[in-house]
Amino acid sequence: MHLSNRIQKSPVFLLRLLLIVWSLVSISAATDPPRSVNLAWNANPEADIAGYRVHYGTASGDLTSSLTVDTSPAATLAGLEPGTRYYCAVRAFNTSALEGSLSSEISFVIPAAIAPEITVAHDSGDDLADGRSEISLGEVDLGSTGTARTFVISNLGTADLTNLAITAAGAEFAITPLGTTTLAPGETTRFDVTFSPLASGIRSAFLRITSNDPDTGSFDIALSGTGLTAPEIEVYKDNGTSLTSGGTSVDFGNCTLGATSPRTFTIQNTGSATLTGLSVASDGPDFILGKLGSTSLPPGARTTFGISFRPGTAGTRAGRLVIASNDSDERLFLITLTGQGVKAPEIVVEVSSGRSLTDDDAFINFGTVAVRSTANSKTFTIRNTGTANLDGLGIIKNGSNSAEFRVSALRTRSLAPGASTSFKVQFSPARTGIRWAAIHITSNDADESSFDIVLTGTGSKSSTSAAAAPSLTGSHSIPTSSPVRRIELIDGRKYLTLTIARRPGTSVLPRDVEVSSNLVDWSSGKRHTTVLIDTATTLKVRDNTPVSQNARRYIRRKR
């Protein structure tokens, strides 16, 4: 009786320790569902416990099946049906075969097969069928890439979909990388396919998706597209920027009335057929079109043409450039042209003979003159060829021998458009040898606010006809025995150069050439100059400091 009272104490289930462990020992494929479950509970404390009976069934309170186990508080139920809910309870029995009451019921479901399941859909939302679906990527011009089509891979199974990989049998169909190669149940990943035809006509390939799906080891999709031959116009302005038809405005900036601001445009055929019927036209009278290099362009070829902005009046000027061709979607390529006509003065300086001088490159030689005598004067004329008043006229003289060059006063400080004034310069050397000076004509000219002219002459003990002395400028021929000064463009920057002819019996060394920024302080040597030519007949030396509007430079042979 005592034993019976003890055995009637119901064993307590540790529901939190109930383990559902699928046995895979006898399973040959991941598609086979598990058919057993492991149960565990708390042991009864009585010392005479002989074992336990597990009662189970498919209806609560109707536990028609049972399993007897030893004193270990655990059991394995086998032969269960996947997808079915089972109910179970446990009772203990002792060595006298007396049984206790049933524990509380628990229930569980044997899950269906544990396996991945791949599905593939495209951007329309429709699921695709392995080996039976064909996706068209449309018509695409040769040399172009069509619109991307998006595909979605999903795992509708109950196990991880792994080892995902994609290949396409065709170089014309490009595939973006997958975001992941493993999908948990319910997860998705995407990839895109684009079509870039290499030849005209219908092009095709197969897309293959591989994974660990046991039923669909490879998911195959047919791809197709059509390659088209077509011209394609592309237009660039002079800095290489590509322009858009109807949406681009090219600004020529400010341009002085009477002046011209040029720009160059390039047309390229980026298509796969010949671009024909090319022509250009402008409806703005201020924009002057140059000649088109070619009216027909094979694929990849280019041609250029120029447009010059020459404003007729001040203020904003506008026009439209029209480029016609056989491009199917841009038969008329339209570009808006704009610019500002500006009234501005423009200084021009001429020497006695009427020859125009060049700012920063004007060297006037008064020849050889006896010391303390005066050479014939040279007359300089200042003209305003601009469209606004040339104001603030003045003359500044400097240089190591500036006192020996006498400059007459200007009669006016302002010139209306088209007007002119003049002044004279006389050379009277105080000593023998080469004498140097410079005059700087100031004004409100925007790019020549200081028009610089170098003056040179030679003082001698005896008089020499001054009239025979040549007038030297950087843009006119001079005797080959005289140094030739030039402004040269080197690596995109302007530099002064001096070329000296070497005559037999004379010695001219690179250090004999010196440079200055003010005609007062002169320097020579490798730090300040670079030798460009050094032969038996010619020495050419370059100033190392570039010329700019704010950095005037001078070069000469040492006295």
Side-chain angles (χ1 to χ4, degrees), residues 21-37 76-80:
V21 181
W22 314 126
S23 174
L24 301 179
V25 175
S26 62
I27 297 176
S28 59
T31 54
D32 295 333
R35 295 176 176 273
S36 62
V37 65
T76 298
L77 301 181
L80 305 179

Side-chain angles (χ1 to χ4, degrees), residues 501-559:
R502 284 179 166 148
R503 293 177 295 179
T506 62
S507 175
V508 183
L509 301 176
R511 64 172 179 266
D512 293 333
V513 177
E514 55 187 2
V515 293
S516 173
S517 61
N518 57 15
L519 289 171
V520 176
D521 303 310
W522 295 86
S523 303
S524 62
K526 293 182 179 180
R527 180 180 175 184
H528 304 283
T529 60
T530 297
V531 177
L532 301 179
I533 300 174
D534 190 359
T535 66
T537 59
T538 305
L539 173 65
K540 185 175 183 179
V541 179
R542 187 199 80 184
D543 184 4
N544 288 343
T545 302
V547 175
S548 70
Q549 187 165 343
N550 298 320
R552 304 305 175 106
R553 301 296 298 172
Y554 307 94
I555 190 169
R556 73 181 187 186
R557 180 179 175 182
K558 284 184 181 179
R559 290 176 291 178

Side-chain angles (χ1 to χ4, degrees), residues 101-179:
S101 59
L102 283 171
S103 69
S104 301
E105 283 185 2
I106 66 168
S107 66
F108 56 86
V109 177
I110 297 295
I114 300 178
E117 180 65 32
I118 188 173
T119 64
V120 182
H122 59 66
D123 43 18
S124 68
D126 296 332
D127 287 341
L128 303 179
D130 175 29
R132 298 194 303 275
S133 295
E134 179 177 344
I135 301 299
S136 173
L137 280 86
E139 298 179 339
V140 179
D141 292 340
L142 298 189
S144 301
T145 298
T147 303
R149 297 295 301 267
T150 299
F151 294 77
V152 180
I153 301 175
S154 302
N155 178 11
L156 300 185
T158 55
D160 288 352
L161 184 68
T162 62
N163 301 324
L164 279 170
I166 306 176
T167 57
E172 296 166 299
F173 297 86
I175 306 169
T176 59
L178 285 171

